[in-house]
Amino acid sequence: MISHTATIPLILLLAMTPVAASANDSTYTDLDTNHCKTLSPEDPEGGGISLQCKGLPDHAVYFKEGDLRQSILYGPVSEAYIDGVFESFEPFNNAGRKIEWRLGADGKPVATILRWFIENIDPATGEPSPKVRGQVLVVSKVAGDDGQGCVVGYVDALANPEPNGLARQVADTEAESFACGRDTAAFHGKRGLTAAEPTRVFPD
């Protein structure tokens, strides 16, 4: 029989042993398009513009807009991707302003999560309406040494009870191995009627 006094040192030893931290964590930055470096001047006719904005250290945010649709890349993206990639949605849309960065075990960002607002057309009026506005969490791969970053998945923020948790799961399990330009990003969880169809353009 083991005495109670013999177990006390063991309990103290276990209490002093550090608990391993979670492999993935989050940090947040704001998308401030009013204080960005202009990469290409605004097109007065099509409304297009390309910006380099502040993100995390050594990980810029590349914002593009054209025809009232937006696209964003993250990290040390190659010139070919900055110029040639545009991932968005079919209806008019705009990105939110709070970027969630998912960090790997080494503390480096591997993915981002950003809420997109989709201006769907109300069939009754033929115009965009708040009644049918969609919200989609877009999970993106942060570019690495290959200079390739892209969208890896979508979560309908209105159709799922805990969309942020689901988006983090997608970021943590799919972003690192996702092959941009070859793999196709998909919706995860439930997809409602306001989660519009994504669009993708990649360089040849």
Side-chain angles (χ1 to χ4, degrees), residues 37-194:
K37 175 183 177 182
T38 300
L39 300 181
S40 64
E42 185 170 0
D43 178 2
E45 293 185 3
I49 195 169
S50 179
L51 306 173
Q52 179 180 333
C53 304
K54 183 179 179 181
L56 293 178
D58 300 320
H59 290 80
V61 176
Y62 293 91
F63 173 94
K64 295 174 75 173
E65 183 172 67
D67 194 23
L68 298 179
R69 295 166 177 86
Q70 298 179 354
S71 178
I72 301 179
L73 296 169
Y74 307 88
V77 188
S78 69
E79 289 293 334
Y81 265 54
I82 293 173
D83 296 337
V85 171
F86 197 93
E87 295 185 279
S88 191
F89 295 91
E90 288 183 353
F92 297 153
N93 59 75
N94 64 280
R97 288 298 180 259
K98 184 66 69 175
I99 302 170
E100 178 176 0
W101 300 76
R102 293 296 285 173
L103 309 178
D106 58 359
K108 295 181 180 180
V110 296
T112 63
I113 302 169
L114 184 60
R115 187 178 298 258
W116 237 262
F117 299 90
I118 315 298
E119 302 299 332
N120 294 304
I121 300 297
D122 187 342
T125 63
E127 299 290 338
S129 168
K131 293 188 298 182
V132 292
R133 179 178 291 130
Q135 294 186 33
V136 176
L137 297 181
V138 177
V139 182
S140 298
K141 178 176 184 174
V142 176
D145 294 336
D146 61 0
Q148 297 183 358
C150 60
V151 175
V152 303
Y154 307 93
V155 174
D156 188 337
L158 302 180
N160 293 278
E162 295 187 9
N164 294 89
L166 180 54
R168 292 180 188 120
Q169 180 181 341
V170 174
D172 296 347
T173 59
E174 299 205 10
E176 198 165 2
S177 62
F178 195 90
C180 295
R182 187 185 69 193
D183 296 340
T184 301
F187 274 88
H188 297 261
K190 296 181 180 179
R191 181 182 180 183
L193 296 177
T194 62

